[in-house]
Amino acid sequence: MRVLLNGMSMLGRLTGVGQYAWRLAESLDQLPAVEAVDVFEGRRIVPWKSFHAGAQATERVDRYERLKCWVREHAPFARNLVGRLRAASFARQTRGPHWNVYHEPNYIPQEFAGATVTTVCDMSYLRCPEYLPQDRLRWLRQRLETSVRGSEAVIAISEFTRSELLDLFPGLEPKKVHVTPLGVDLERFDATSDDDQLVAIRARHRLPPQFILYLGTLEPRKNLQGLVAAFGRLPMRLQREFPLVLAGMSGWKQHYFRPALDALRRRGLVHELGYVSGAELPSLLRAATVFCFPSIYEGFGLPPLEAAAVGTPVVASNSSSLPEVLGNAAVYVDPLSADSIASGLREVLESHSLQLKLREAGPARAQQFTWRRCAERTVAAYEHAGA
């Protein structure tokens, strides 16, 4: 089987969909059923190994991120123009029956003459549109339903997302929506502590001895507003002993939480690290006292699962996909209640026995999710699509 994967989400810093596409491509490339994985990188199609070797080169990543930020700030109208140019390039290079299947990991596929498989990570654009930027909302509203119905198979990354798809798109054939849960790289995200690495990550980012960690894009759907409010309701002794550390790229609509966050930062109670590289993530997660992920709406929830995998106690939302993914490896809170989030944090921070229970449950839960299993289920979806 020859697979063509759209690699645009894998250019620049890997977050969300890009992380999923990268790990999936790595794993597909190792399966006996897959003869080759090729990647569309905007202007040309290259073998996965060539893409892998060059896509994450520091100079290229920095250049791509600078261009993306400039366009977002100065020319937001350019999305459609860039999209048309990219579609024309894709059409030119996909003439002929070179691939058994084209897989779009980022919602909206290019037009392709053969079998098309589309991944939908969540339906936040319909469930909580107020938290998304307008250009992304327009893009999804105009095209997603048509794209999903026109695909030979649709991949959902959790049972929750599958149920959302079938609920929000009536008439979509249930048999063509396949669930392929994401995975954890268990060789990197494990509970084995390396003291030298922990010392290095603490020094590099000037981390406090103990802290509450959030990892993800800083945006309102992830409920930074609820987390900041909840942190402010903890007793002052806990705020001082366990400051809040935020790791992740700046997102949109930060007016939801930025004033309150800045007030805490001025008091020395919040540390913002910005984007943290994949190489540093396991050590950062191990260094945390507790990982808090009170997202309002989530299609899967990989960061809290990776935190659980390294044995860090997790506090997470009791809604959307998170209970399905985390099972017994988290303390659950109501994301719409700052009091509930604060109560969950306090419960974990003040109970060593609960911390020990979660440290044991997390790695065991993570064993159920591997990227190879994700790739195998993805190949099953390809076969259903007629690849």
Side-chain angles (χ1 to χ4, degrees):
M1 180 186 299
R2 297 186 65 87
V3 178
L4 174 59
L5 192 68
N6 191 343
M8 295 309 301
S9 62
M10 295 185 274
L11 298 175
R13 293 170 178 166
L14 295 183
T15 61
V17 175
Q19 179 79 2
Y20 155 65
W22 187 276
R23 298 303 174 195
L24 176 62
E26 281 184 327
S27 299
L28 287 171
D29 193 52
Q30 296 170 10
L31 294 182
V34 178
E35 178 187 348
V37 177
D38 292 326
V39 180
F40 175 64
E41 60 171 9
R43 288 182 295 179
R44 58 185 183 146
I45 293 172
V46 298
W48 162 247
K49 287 182 173 60
S50 299
F51 182 86
H52 183 280
Q56 289 299 297
T58 301
E59 181 180 346
R60 182 174 181 180
V61 169
D62 290 345
R63 185 170 63 248
Y64 184 80
E65 287 297 329
R66 286 196 297 270
L67 177 61
K68 192 166 66 172
C69 289
W70 187 91
V71 170
R72 185 182 297 134
E73 182 176 353
H74 300 286
F77 55 85
R79 178 191 282 271
N80 288 336
L81 174 61
V82 171
R84 287 196 295 271
L85 293 173
R86 197 169 289 154
S89 176
F90 185 87
R92 283 195 307 272
Q93 295 179 70
T94 55
R95 296 191 183 110
H98 303 297
W99 299 275
N100 300 97
V101 63
Y102 159 52
H103 184 178
E104 174 53 65
N106 193 20
Y107 295 86
I108 309 296
Q110 303 288 342
E111 289 189 18
F112 183 69
T116 298
V117 174
T118 300
T119 293
V120 176
C121 294
D122 65 60
M123 298 294 287
S124 57
Y125 86 103
L126 290 178
R127 292 303 195 196
C128 42
E130 66 273 21
Y131 296 145
L132 272 69
Q134 289 301 312
D135 62 333
R136 185 168 178 82
L137 273 177
R138 284 193 297 270
W139 181 61
L140 291 169
R141 283 171 172 165
Q142 291 169 2
R143 302 185 62 186
L144 182 59
E145 186 168 5
T146 300
S147 296
V148 166
R149 294 189 186 282
S151 298
E152 279 68 34
V154 179
I155 286 176
I157 60 175
S158 63
E159 291 288 352
F160 170 76
T161 296
R162 181 179 188 273
S163 68
E164 290 283 84
L165 266 166
L166 296 175
D167 181 49
L168 292 168
F169 294 159
L172 183 62
E173 297 178 51
K175 66 181 181 181
K176 95 172 187 179
V177 184
H178 303 257
V179 176
T180 66
L182 306 188
V184 176
D185 183 345
L186 297 173
E187 291 185 2
R188 295 175 56 235
F189 293 91
D190 62 21
T192 304
S193 252
D194 184 315
D195 291 341
D196 290 340
Q197 290 181 353
L198 288 178
V199 169
I201 196 81
R202 289 183 185 280
R204 189 177 303 118
H205 293 288
R206 300 181 181 179
L207 297 173
Q210 301 183 95
F211 58 92
I212 299 165
L213 176 65
Y214 162 83
L215 169 66
T217 303
L218 305 187
E219 57 170 294
R221 179 170 65 88
K222 302 294 186 179
N223 200 20
L224 270 295
Q225 59 274 22
L227 176 57
V228 170
F231 182 80
R233 297 183 189 190
L234 293 175
M236 184 53 65
R237 61 178 177 81
L238 290 180
Q239 293 183 38
R240 289 173 177 155
E241 188 176 358
F242 305 100
L244 183 60
V245 173
L246 306 179
M249 294 174 62
S250 290
W252 39 81
K253 300 197 174 186
Q254 293 202 10
H255 62 273
Y256 276 89
F257 54 83
R258 179 53 64 179
L261 184 58
D262 287 343
L264 288 174
R265 182 171 47 79
R266 287 192 292 269
R267 292 166 54 201
L269 298 173
V270 171
H271 303 254
E272 292 188 61
L273 308 185
Y275 179 81
V276 176
S277 70
E280 294 182 304
L281 285 185
S283 295
L284 177 63
L285 291 169
R286 291 187 193 103
T289 308
V290 61
F291 183 87
C292 190
F293 199 75
S295 181
I296 291 172
Y297 187 90
E298 207 66 30
F300 185 84
L302 191 55
L305 184 61
E306 290 175 338
V310 304
T312 296
V314 173
V315 173
S317 298
N318 62 5
S319 60
S320 62
S321 63
L322 293 171
E324 172 191 339
V325 172
L326 296 169
N328 66 342
V331 167
Y332 293 104
V333 297
D334 178 357
L336 301 181
S337 167
D339 286 337
S340 177
I341 300 169
S343 177
L345 283 170
R346 186 169 182 176
E347 182 183 3
V348 176
L349 292 172
E350 294 184 332
S351 174
H352 291 292
S353 62
L354 179 56
Q355 290 178 27
L356 179 60
K357 177 183 175 183
L358 293 171
R359 289 185 185 281
E360 292 174 347
R365 181 67 180 177
Q367 291 288 332
Q368 300 179 36
F369 299 88
T370 68
W371 285 113
R372 184 179 181 89
R373 191 171 302 153
C374 176
E376 290 170 344
R377 292 190 176 191
T378 300
V379 168
Y382 295 164
E383 292 171 343
H384 178 88

